[in-house]
Amino acid sequence: MKIHEYQAKDLLRAAGVPVLAGRVARTPEEAAAAFTALGTPVCAVKAQIHAGGRGKGQVIGSTQRGVELAKSADDAARIAKGLLGNTLVTIQTGPEGQVVRQVFVESGCAIDRELYCAVLVDRRVGSPVLIASTAGGMDIEEVAHNTPELILSEPFDPDRGLASYQARLLAAKLGLPTASWRHAEAFFRKLCAAFVSLDASLLEINPLVLTKDGTLVALDAKMTFDDNALFRHKDLTALRDEAEEEPAETRAAAAGLSYVKLNGTIGCLVNGAGLAMSTMDLVKYHGGQPANFLDVGGGADVNQVTEAFRIILSDPHVKAILVNIFGGIMRCTTIANAVVEASKTVGFTVPLVVRLEGTEVEEGKKILANSGTAIITADGLTDAAKKVVAAANAA
Amino acid sequence: MSILVNRDTRVICQGITGKVGEFHTRGCLEYGTRMVGGVTPGKAGETVVGLPVFNTVAEARDATGANATMIFVPPAFAADAILEAVGAGIELVIAITEGIPVLDMARVMPVVKASKSRLIGPNCPGVITPGECKIGIMPGYIHTPGHVGVMSRSGTLTYEAVWQLTQLGHGQSTCVGLGGDPLVGSSFIDILTLFQADPDTHAILMMGEIGGSAEEEAAAFVKQHVTKPVAAFIAGRTAPPGKRMGHAGAIISGGKGTAEAKLEALRDAGIEIAESPADMGQALVRAIKRR
């Protein structure tokens, strides 16, 4: 689950990590009032969307950037007006961009240097790690690719946390003045503790700022949570902003399905993430374009699979559907019954290609054959992919 | 011969009184696995599909001589179940459970590493030595005894690969589902080491996917240490970037993690590549012929 910058900063402040004072605004008037209330000569007005790259991002149809500095209350109102209700395109939103529904007005600070840090779980080490770099404010993936030696990394045990010496080590390698080390120690240790106590999956501070008076401040904050751990953080689920999510993806998540919308014409319904990705690969291999990734999982029942069909069919670009099931926990009979149910209650407006294998495959095929539903059956992966691509092209 | 499990493996099920645990315990029994009992705290004395239920893994082990466990405990309690199995000295711990918080696994990993137990999973289909022992949720009938070692990060993709092998007349020595979570107990390299040492495994088929750098590391290991023919498939060649991999996730791997980078590393190690998921079985056949 993703949250907004201003929400992440509230959580960081509560965890003792230094952030600047700021207020969220949903109208230009609120932005002006926020500027006045903060009482600093300069404020940053920042678009709040669930995507990074906002500083360099641009609003469609204007020269407005996603983050700009305001020197007066009127200034803040003007910038907010240019953002609110408009669509911001950044390197992470794709060309369609995302609508800005709120802005964060944040007081300024005197910046000495911009750094980078993040906490995440490293698969190779098998534990959380604190990553830091002197290349703050830059596209960190590019830094990692071109100059991996600039990326510093310190693993830590979730329960013991980051040791003081590890924080000092990073402070030294980052070239922070010795007078700031004590401050850096507190900053990094509290950041790592927040990551663990919140069950975050990513906590990224870019830029991390060394101020002119030698303290560290999180100037930006990106926080995502481990969905598997949300059951023990009921309070965090209130931070979810469904307006930022793809409606079909939200709907799928509510039904316990894993769905990602793509831009093609062939709807895919598959069990298992690996097979679902492979099915997309196969569709492309045979010249088609997948409209979605959809993993119904292992334990889905007829209702959930029927909902999966509804979600796929709600995409107007879908011209054909490929069902690829290799039953393990999932039984082919469940899928077959769902196909019949969906054809009754939803109605298939596009050709449906079904490939079944695995648990209860013969019974499943029988249900489909006796149902009278118009289905193109396929034997094996290649046959299925060729048939669905042909059906989509004919439509 | 085979790796990890065989006809003598004595297996208990943690979470046997749950619906899913019971269903798959029955499936394993029907396949011929030596299921010897189950564990659910507070339910000692009951029987499930004819097997005795114990309160603790230690009691179950003492009473049955179990040396392997299959875990179906719900995600909130699964990490603790893994720790209990390791604490009781069970040699092979197979965690099927999907949805364990990643930091729970970060707490489990050092304990497993310091022990003599081997952990497979979590979020995996399990392990099967065809004709001898099935521990997990895979459909048994698609497998056939033979000499190809199979390993994968994805469940249903493994079934697909195994089914293709079986239809081509290539049986399997052992099939291992490593699990799809960020932190899992055994890596490709761990299992490659076992397959390389197993005289009954003549060739190896592996299925990876985008993200992380496990496949690149496996490729480097194959180049140095594996003399048997290896074929591989990488799922997610056409997946759009950024949808599954977190922004900072790519930092650690320093540009690794894309399907192209993985395929390049695999090819460089002399591994035969399956160009499509329909080509996995044939790729293994090509790998054998090349020798």
Side-chain angles (χ1 to χ4, degrees):
Chain A
M1 185 183 87
K2 294 179 182 174
I3 59 171
H4 288 293
E5 174 197 359
Y6 76 89
Q7 296 170 318
K9 286 189 170 164
D10 284 346
L11 292 170
L12 288 178
R13 189 180 292 113
V17 178
V19 292
L20 299 170
R23 292 189 172 197
V24 70
R26 291 176 181 85
T27 64
E29 295 73 35
E30 282 180 17
F35 183 95
T36 308
L38 290 169
T40 50
V42 178
C43 279
V45 181
K46 306 160 112 178
Q48 298 294 290
I49 56 170
H50 281 185
R54 293 166 300 161
K56 288 179 187 155
Q58 199 167 333
V59 167
I60 291 178
S62 82
T63 56
Q64 174 83 57
R65 298 280 171 188
V67 177
E68 288 197 10
L69 295 179
K71 290 184 177 147
S72 68
D74 286 351
D75 230 10
R78 179 185 55 78
I79 298 166
K81 190 160 184 273
L83 288 169
L84 290 164
N86 292 325
T87 304
L88 181 65
V89 176
T90 80
I91 196 164
Q92 290 184 15
T93 60
E96 65 276 14
Q98 256 170 269
V99 175
V100 181
R101 294 180 180 81
Q102 48 212 346
V103 297
F104 188 48
V105 184
E106 191 176 56
S107 42
C109 69
I111 297 173
D112 181 17
R113 287 172 59 197
E114 294 196 354
L115 309 162
Y116 172 95
C117 79
V119 191
L120 65 151
V121 171
D122 185 341
R123 295 181 184 212
R124 276 186 305 185
V125 185
S127 78
V129 293
L130 172 64
I131 289 172
S133 174
T134 50
M138 317 230 317
D139 179 354
I140 198 68
E141 281 171 337
E142 217 168 275
V143 176
H145 190 257
N146 299 332
T147 45
E149 68 278 4
L150 289 183
I151 307 272
L152 311 168
S153 166
E154 284 294 323
F156 63 93
D157 177 274
D159 296 325
R160 282 197 297 273
L162 188 80
S164 295
Y165 84 87
Q166 292 180 294
R168 276 199 309 280
L169 201 70
L170 285 179
K173 284 187 185 171
L174 289 170
L176 299 183
T178 46
S180 300
W181 285 11
R182 189 171 295 267
H183 193 79
E185 226 176 276
F187 185 98
F188 288 139
R189 295 186 69 200
K190 283 175 178 169
L191 192 73
C192 292
F195 177 88
V196 172
S197 69
L198 293 166
D199 270 306
S201 55
L202 172 66
L203 180 40
E204 187 179 38
I205 311 295
N206 189 21
L208 164 68
V209 157
L210 177 68
T211 62
K212 294 248 197 258
D213 58 10
T215 62
L216 287 176
V217 170
L219 203 61
D220 191 14
K222 183 184 199 177
M223 201 184 282
T224 60
F225 300 104
D226 178 2
D227 291 332
N228 288 340
L230 284 177
F231 69 86
R232 57 190 176 207
H233 298 280
K234 297 285 185 226
D235 47 330
L236 291 179
T237 53
L239 300 178
R240 167 163 257 142
D241 184 355
E242 288 192 1
E244 291 290 317
E245 297 168 9
E246 164 70 35
E249 291 177 11
T250 309
R251 190 173 160 191
L257 307 164
S258 174
Y259 172 92
V260 176
K261 187 169 168 3
L262 302 168
N263 297 321
T265 58
I266 296 174
C268 301
L269 189 154
V270 190
N271 66 325
L275 191 60
M277 272 196 286
S278 304
T279 303
M280 287 163 44
D281 294 347
L282 192 70
V283 164
K284 270 210 172 168
Y285 188 75
H286 288 284
Q289 292 291 336
N292 65 275
F293 165 96
L294 197 158
D295 169 16
V296 295
D301 60 21
V302 171
N303 288 334
Q304 284 168 288
V305 180
T306 309
E307 175 72 358
F309 278 116
R310 280 198 200 97
I311 290 166
I312 291 174
L313 286 163
S314 71
D315 178 350
H317 300 111
V318 168
K319 290 189 177 140
I321 298 177
L322 171 59
V323 174
N324 182 23
I325 299 295
F326 209 118
I329 300 190
M330 172 60 70
R331 301 170 205 193
C332 290
T333 44
T334 303
I335 295 293
N337 285 325
V339 168
V340 176
E341 183 64 26
S343 95
K344 272 191 221 151
T345 58
V346 194
F348 287 106
T349 47
V350 296
L352 179 69
V353 177
V354 180
R355 183 273 179 136
L356 296 178
E357 199 55 70
T359 309
E360 298 184 354
V361 57
E362 291 312 322
E363 298 90 325
K365 284 182 175 171
K366 236 174 252 171
I367 292 170
L368 291 180
N370 296 335
S371 70
T373 313
I375 290 165
I376 304 167
T377 55
D379 288 313
L381 279 179
T382 303
D383 188 41
K386 283 183 176 166
K387 280 177 174 164
V388 78
V389 171
N393 288 342
Chain B
M1 277 288 286
S2 54
I3 67 166
L4 297 170
V5 301
N6 59 35
R7 65 181 85 254
D8 299 320
T9 306
R10 300 171 68 84
V11 188
I12 54 167
C13 174
Q14 286 170 264
I16 193 170
T17 55
K19 204 190 277 179
V20 185
E22 179 180 341
F23 179 82
H24 289 289
T25 297
R26 184 179 288 116
C28 293
L29 270 174
E30 284 167 359
Y31 192 79
T33 306
R34 290 183 67 174
M35 296 298 306
V36 294
V39 175
T40 299
K43 302 241 169 128
E46 292 184 14
T47 58
V48 174
V49 286
L51 299 173
V53 178
F54 301 88
N55 278 331
T56 66
V57 175
E59 285 169 345
R61 199 200 59 161
D62 289 347
T64 65
N67 55 7
T69 177
M70 164 169 86
I71 298 180
F72 281 100
V73 173
F77 315 104
D80 188 57
I82 294 171
L83 291 175
E84 182 182 359
V86 171
I90 301 286
E91 292 161 38
L92 181 64
V93 181
I94 300 178
I96 311 293
T97 306
E98 177 179 357
I100 303 178
V102 68
L103 285 180
D104 285 7
M105 284 311 299
R107 293 176 173 101
V108 165
M109 297 293 273
V111 180
V112 174
K113 272 183 196 156
S115 77
K116 286 180 179 158
S117 300
R118 177 186 295 280
L119 172 65
I120 305 283
N123 189 14
C124 80
V127 178
I128 181 169
T129 291
E132 297 194 26
C133 176
K134 161 180 130 98
I135 305 179
I137 59 178
M138 63 291 277
Y141 80 92
I142 61 173
H143 301 81
T144 189
H147 304 289
V148 181
V150 179
M151 56 179 186
S152 169
R153 275 160 73 175
S154 151
T156 48
L157 190 59
T158 317
Y159 310 163
E160 186 68 55
V162 165
W163 184 233
Q164 287 175 20
L165 288 173
T166 293
Q167 287 180 313
L168 288 167
H170 283 279
Q172 305 86 40
S173 53
T174 302
C175 306
V176 184
L178 300 172
D181 281 356
L183 299 188
V184 291
S186 297
S187 67
F188 283 123
I189 292 176
D190 295 329
I191 305 305
L192 278 168
T193 307
L194 299 179
F195 278 142
Q196 172 65 19
D198 173 32
D200 214 31
T201 298
H202 301 168
I204 301 160
L205 176 59
M206 60 180 275
M207 274 72 64
E209 60 189 47
I210 52 167
S213 58
E215 289 80 5
E216 285 91 330
E217 287 150 27
F221 183 85
V222 166
K223 199 171 178 178
Q224 284 215 317
H225 302 288
V226 178
T227 56
K228 298 175 181 181
V230 182
F233 174 71
I234 301 292
R237 280 171 97 158
T238 60
K243 277 291 187 182
R244 277 174 63 97
M245 290 165 59
H247 187 63
I251 294 174
I252 288 181
S253 39
K256 291 181 182 175
T258 65
E260 287 314 316
K262 288 175 190 294
L263 291 170
E264 199 183 309
L266 292 165
R267 278 198 199 99
D268 180 56
I271 295 170
E272 184 70 30
I273 304 293
E275 292 300 331
S276 94
D279 184 44
M280 294 185 290
Q282 289 292 355
L284 192 276
V285 173
R286 290 197 299 275
I288 293 172
K289 275 193 188 147
R290 265 180 20 188
R291 296 299 164 114

